[in-house]
Amino acid sequence: MRIARFTTGDEPSYGVLSGELDAFGQPEEDAVLVALAGDPMYVGLKLLDQEHKLADVRLLAPVLPRSKVIGFGRNYAAHAAELGNEVPEEPLMFLKPNTSVAGPGDPIFYPTQTQDLHYEGELAVVIGRICRDVPPEQATDVIYGYTIGNDVTARDLQKADGQFSRAKGFDSFCPLGPWIETDLDPQHFADGVAIQTHLNGEVVQDGSTADMIYDIPALIAYVSSVMTLLPGDVILTGTPEGVGPMQVGDEVEVSIAGLGALTNKVARR
């Protein structure tokens, strides 16, 4: 089930997307959103007798974390190598503020403090219930669904600071979308699910979740051993190799098999 957060010009609403995705991850032309009575993560799936054509609405970030976004760095060996880093001996965890979240079509603002702004296409996990000390074998019990993320990073600030908070924490540095897929389970596919990033139409990242060093249950177990996870928290699971710079005016699209595509343009702040 694909759950979207959207607006028609009024207050944000939630809906279930009808139909299937085509080979390019796009919904059918006549796709509609069946409206829901409130945030389904908190009030459950209560369908209303109301539909909106997808073409007539503006999609928003499918979740606004009330608490936090947790990222994991260097979770793909080839990505660690391309930046001259060693594979971490345990998951390399960092936080992004919830104010960094942006939605589909929202601009990624290029801050004046950086000269080297990078895209990082990633699979994002949305947590569905409060939890702590989750064993790996029970990790799927706390997952609400999956969406697409772009862990935008000011690479020069990351190197200068020696840590990630500023480099990954600017407003608009965490685009999410276009919806949450509740039925996808990447762990059930031996080859994982494919992740691609296009920059101005050109493929720049082409990987698979099968190449993760630490899989999703391991990441959930690790972070929940440190901090309580709350409904709506988002975990970014790392990026494949091929990261690189974006410039003002560029369009970046991250697509993940079964999830669709997340597109944003870079704008001057």
Side-chain angles (χ1 to χ4, degrees):
M1 183 177 296
R2 298 182 180 96
I3 298 174
R5 181 170 164 267
F6 67 94
T7 180
T8 59
D10 300 317
E11 291 295 315
S13 302
Y14 292 84
V16 175
L17 180 67
S18 68
E20 300 296 327
L21 303 181
D22 63 21
F24 300 99
Q26 300 300 321
E28 299 169 341
E29 288 187 7
D30 58 349
V32 299
L33 286 167
V34 180
L36 293 169
D39 186 341
M41 192 174 295
Y42 295 92
V43 302
L45 285 170
K46 299 180 180 180
L47 295 172
L48 300 176
D49 187 19
Q50 183 180 3
E51 293 184 352
H52 300 275
K53 291 182 179 180
L54 186 60
D56 294 339
V57 307
R58 177 188 167 210
L59 292 178
L60 306 173
V63 59
L64 282 179
R66 288 165 170 77
S67 175
K68 53 193 171 291
V69 177
I70 306 105
F72 284 94
R74 304 170 195 169
N75 198 29
Y76 288 75
H79 167 59
E82 73 179 344
L83 296 181
N85 296 311
E86 299 291 332
V87 171
E89 295 183 1
E90 60 180 0
L92 178 60
M93 183 171 66
F94 59 88
L95 294 175
K96 292 171 81 86
N98 56 9
T99 50
S100 68
V101 171
D106 287 344
I108 297 169
F109 289 113
Y110 203 121
T112 58
Q113 296 94 322
T114 181
Q115 302 298 316
D116 194 18
L117 190 67
H118 282 211
Y119 54 81
E120 293 190 8
E122 309 200 4
L123 176 68
V125 182
V126 181
I127 298 299
R129 72 184 207 196
I130 188 170
C131 57
R132 181 74 156 85
D133 294 319
V134 181
E137 60 272 15
Q138 295 179 18
T140 56
D141 295 342
V142 306
I143 296 173
Y144 186 76
Y146 297 88
T147 190
I148 302 171
N150 186 349
D151 179 21
V152 178
T153 304
R155 195 70 66 198
D156 50 354
L157 301 185
Q158 184 182 24
K159 293 176 181 177
D161 293 351
Q163 50 91 6
F164 297 177
S165 296
R166 182 168 65 135
K168 292 176 177 283
F170 284 90
D171 291 357
S172 79
F173 272 27
C174 188
L176 296 174
W179 40 69
I180 297 172
E181 173 58 80
T182 61
D183 295 331
L184 181 73
D185 186 357
Q187 305 301 129
H188 282 180
F189 297 94
D191 297 329
V193 293
I195 302 177
Q196 282 193 335
T197 301
H198 290 76
L199 185 66
N200 299 324
E202 179 182 349
V203 177
V204 287
Q205 288 187 287
D206 191 1
S208 167
T209 59
D211 297 327
M212 287 182 184
I213 298 167
Y214 300 101
D215 63 14
I216 292 166
L219 297 179
I220 291 175
Y222 186 85
V223 65
S224 69
S225 74
V226 177
M227 61 188 73
T228 299
L229 292 171
L230 301 179
D233 281 355
V234 172
I235 298 176
L236 301 175
T237 58
T239 192
E241 68 176 321
V243 300
M246 303 181 290
Q247 304 298 331
V248 172
D250 284 349
E251 181 178 85
V252 58
E253 177 188 277
V254 183
S255 60
I256 298 181
L259 290 181
L262 170 66
T263 304
N264 301 89
K265 283 190 174 183
V266 183
R268 192 177 308 279
R269 189 175 188 281

